[in-house]
Amino acid sequence: NPLKKIPDSHEITLQHGTKTVSALGLDPSGARLITGGYDYDVKFWDFAGMDASLQAFRSLQPCECHQIKSLQYSSTGDVILVVSGNSQAKVLDRDGFPVMECIKGDQYIVDMTNTKGHTAMLNSGCWHPKIKEEFLTCSNDGTVRTWDVNNEKKHKSVFKPRSVQGKRVIPTTCTYSRDGKLIAAGCQDGSIQIWDRNMSVHTKFHCRQAHAPGTDTSCLTFSYDGTVLASRGGDDTLKLWDIRQFKKPLNSAERLPSFFPMTDCCFSPDDKILVTGTSVKKGGGSGKLFFFYRETFQKLYEIEVTDASVVRCLWHPKLNQIMVGTGNGLAKVYYDPVKSQRGAKLCVVKTKRKERQAETLTQDYIITPHALPMFREPRQRSTRKQLEKDRLDPMKSHKPEPPVAGPGRGGRVGTHGGTLSSYIVKNIALDKTDDSNPREAILRHAKEAEENPYWVAPAYAKTQPKTVFAEVEPEDDETDKPEWKKRKI
């Protein structure tokens, strides 16, 4: 059952940024993932070196302010092809340092064969599957060019797609066949044109009405056995072609919305399933990953990825994991602990490492080669050795004394200080009686004192005089007094 081969029981999410992840690349061994986006950033993720916090170990902007269109590791995995929105493709090494940059062509020359490089924005690019130095790019100047890494001054060869009338058309995607002998390009007039790599003038195969004219065919990919070609159209379709009978598709799937010129499709490692993503408008539901059975093209399965478009998908044959790039800046990795190898399984199990404070706060060391021995500082040790030495020092590795509870002892002052006043203050602070109303506090004992006198009352029982209180006189009416005797209010 091909459905059981889809590794989707677990997933991890890598936060690339906030804008669309428009490019994904995995090296052949599956150890490193690179993501590129509309925010011009390229981020490097190392599965073996990453812990569960899932942080990229490097981020750079190789093409200044140009959106990244495509990223791909070469067949040996030692260099990376970066295709962005400018006219010059770049090649970086594994760690992101530049190796070469293609030359920019002369836009005033009419015949594109005579210019040394592209003169307009690039659309796509990929490496030759067998020759590790050769790669392919296509551009809005209407050409598909092959390049050699060792020669950045000029392209190797130029292929010019043509419409039915023989006019120039713009290729939106390009790829090599699995054996590297054919070069295929999808064009804006809806055609797919295929050349022999060594014969650049006439096409070997072509289909004029492969997709709707005026739409961007966003991806072409050959199956692993090399017999069929899958194409993802901007007209919301996914089609499968046999290039020897190129008039009509073997199979076709409709209603797969695509808003991005780099929405791609890929084959499963066993070549039986075809995968593609769909786009959604903001607030219009979830972007999905669709799985189609290659023979019958029936829909096997779908994964709801996130509430944004699914732009890139990549099913790595060695890891058996599916990488997905989305429209809201996420790169998701789907895997199965049983069916998948390495990759995301390595970093999920690693707990986040706590930073050791001692390693970050090392003191500066001043080297004074000609100082007298008495003024010379001891030679700087590494942090680890210094820590080991400090551990043996009884003064430095002495555990701090806990605070003294109660009175001081052993020459140490107690918590409330050593003076009487501080001791009294401490005890007053501890006195929790409520004296907010003194009259009530005294009258609390009035009833008991009256019924059961003990101190004062018995001593004066015989001699206590009778209390005489002044009688309350009514206030004089001040109306009949003269003016000057009246009280001034």
Side-chain angles (χ1 to χ4, degrees):
N1 182 8
L3 194 59
K4 288 183 179 161
K5 292 181 180 171
I6 298 170
D8 75 319
S9 62
H10 294 61
E11 65 171 271
I12 61 167
T13 303
L14 309 174
Q15 185 74 45
H16 171 87
T18 53
K19 296 191 176 172
T20 303
V21 175
S22 52
L24 285 176
L26 251 174
D27 70 338
S29 67
R32 275 191 186 175
L33 172 72
I34 41 173
T35 56
Y38 276 12
D39 53 1
Y40 326 129
D41 284 342
V42 171
K43 291 199 174 176
F44 290 71
W45 315 80
D46 189 349
F47 288 123
M50 199 160 49
D51 56 27
S53 62
L54 305 176
Q55 298 296 317
F57 75 90
R58 180 160 293 131
S59 175
L60 48 110
Q61 293 189 350
C63 305
E64 285 87 37
C65 297
H66 292 285
Q67 293 173 346
I68 308 298
K69 298 285 188 80
S70 167
L71 293 169
Q72 195 187 5
Y73 276 92
S74 65
S75 56
T76 53
D78 54 350
V79 282
I80 304 160
L81 173 65
V82 180
V83 175
S84 66
N86 63 356
S87 58
Q88 296 164 275
K90 278 193 174 181
V91 177
L92 310 176
D93 69 3
R94 268 183 79 81
D95 296 316
F97 297 106
V99 175
M100 77 159 280
E101 183 177 29
C102 297
I103 196 166
K104 187 172 165 60
D106 186 344
Q107 65 256 43
Y108 299 108
I109 295 176
V110 176
D111 186 3
M112 281 292 136
T113 317
N114 297 330
T115 63
K116 294 178 178 176
H118 288 296
T119 61
M121 178 180 82
L122 297 173
N123 288 320
S124 181
C126 66
W127 288 100
H128 193 287
K130 299 280 195 289
I131 306 166
K132 66 173 187 173
E133 290 91 14
E134 187 182 309
F135 62 92
L136 180 70
T137 55
C138 67
S139 159
N140 275 4
D141 61 9
T143 61
V144 178
R145 295 173 196 254
T146 58
W147 301 81
D148 192 314
V149 174
N150 304 317
N151 178 20
E152 57 187 52
K153 295 280 184 264
K154 195 177 189 301
H155 58 251
K156 276 174 87 169
S157 54
V158 183
F159 303 87
K160 292 190 282 189
R162 293 274 180 245
S163 65
V164 185
Q165 295 84 18
K167 291 182 179 168
R168 181 171 80 176
V169 292
I170 292 173
T172 54
T173 181
C174 59
T175 187
Y176 282 104
S177 60
R178 293 282 173 183
D179 56 6
K181 290 180 180 168
L182 302 176
I183 286 173
C187 305
Q188 270 185 347
D189 64 345
S191 65
I192 297 174
Q193 307 190 19
I194 301 174
W195 297 268
D196 189 315
R197 180 177 153 271
N198 303 318
M199 315 251 297
S200 64
V201 182
H202 298 295
T203 56
K204 192 169 184 183
F205 309 101
H206 64 256
C207 176
R208 291 282 167 209
Q209 283 86 35
H211 290 282
T215 61
D216 287 355
T217 303
S218 57
C219 180
L220 294 176
T221 181
F222 282 88
S223 62
Y224 284 99
D225 57 16
T227 56
V228 295
L229 171 74
S231 66
R232 178 77 165 95
D235 54 357
D236 302 347
T237 59
L238 174 69
K239 295 185 179 180
L240 202 64
W241 308 85
D242 184 340
I243 54 176
R244 292 161 300 186
Q245 301 162 347
F246 216 175
K247 290 285 174 278
K248 65 182 202 318
L250 294 170
N251 281 308
S252 174
E254 311 278 326
R255 292 198 294 279
L256 299 168
S258 164
F259 305 151
F260 292 88
M262 64 278 295
T263 306
D264 57 1
C265 54
C266 64
F267 285 91
S268 64
D270 64 354
D271 237 6
K272 295 203 171 123
I273 302 171
L274 193 55
V275 189
T276 189
T278 60
S279 302
V280 288
K281 286 194 163 64
K282 200 168 185 182
S286 295
K288 293 180 181 174
L289 207 57
F290 284 100
F291 295 79
F292 295 95
Y293 193 47
R294 177 178 149 182
E295 295 301 317
T296 59
F297 239 57
Q298 71 187 58
K299 191 173 81 174
L300 272 177
Y301 192 58
E302 62 180 63
I303 299 175
E304 281 198 14
V305 180
T306 181
D307 57 351
S309 305
V310 175
V311 183
R312 287 283 188 181
C313 58
L314 192 151
W315 194 333
H316 197 269
K318 221 172 211 177
L319 301 182
N320 193 24
Q321 296 178 11
I322 302 169
M323 321 284 158
V324 180
T326 68
N328 56 356
L330 306 177
K332 291 204 168 194
V333 183
Y334 291 94
Y335 68 100
D336 188 301
V338 182
K339 299 172 204 158
S340 302
Q341 314 294 321
R342 299 172 64 78
K345 286 167 66 179
L346 297 177
C347 58
V348 173
V349 295
K350 284 188 190 169
T351 52
K352 193 175 176 185
R353 181 170 164 266
K354 267 181 77 175
E355 268 188 22
R356 288 175 66 178
Q357 213 60 32
E359 286 179 19
T360 54
L361 301 170
T362 52
Q363 63 193 45
D364 293 332
Y365 174 55
I366 301 164
I367 300 166
T368 48
H370 304 299
L372 293 169
M374 60 190 291
F375 299 117
R376 200 172 296 157
E377 287 187 26
R379 192 167 56 81
Q380 184 80 347
R381 280 188 161 83
S382 70
T383 319
R384 194 167 55 81
K385 282 191 175 172
Q386 189 64 41
L387 287 170
E388 283 170 7
K389 191 181 173 219
D390 290 350
R391 172 58 60 214
L392 299 172
D393 186 340
M395 290 299 289
K396 283 187 179 174
S397 61
H398 178 65
K399 182 188 165 195
E401 295 286 346
V404 177
R409 62 178 185 275
R412 296 181 67 208
V413 176
T415 40
H416 54 71
T419 61
L420 175 65
S421 58
S422 64
Y423 176 74
I424 291 168
V425 167
K426 180 174 179 280
N427 283 352
I428 286 173
L430 285 174
D431 189 14
K432 294 286 187 291
T433 52
D434 179 28
D435 54 355
S436 55
N437 192 339
R439 187 169 180 278
E440 276 183 15
I442 294 167
L443 289 178
R444 260 207 307 259
H445 311 290
K447 192 180 177 203
E448 194 191 340
E450 198 177 320
E451 291 171 0
N452 188 15
Y454 181 73
W455 294 111
V456 179
Y460 298 101
K462 292 175 184 173
T463 58
Q464 184 72 20
K466 189 165 172 58
T467 50
V468 178
F469 294 111
E471 289 178 11
V472 181
E473 293 178 7
E475 278 192 27
D476 295 334
D477 199 16
E478 294 185 355
T479 48
D480 54 345
K481 287 182 184 175
E483 259 325 296
W484 59 273
K485 271 194 173 180
K486 283 184 183 173
R487 249 187 313 177
K488 288 187 175 67
I489 296 166

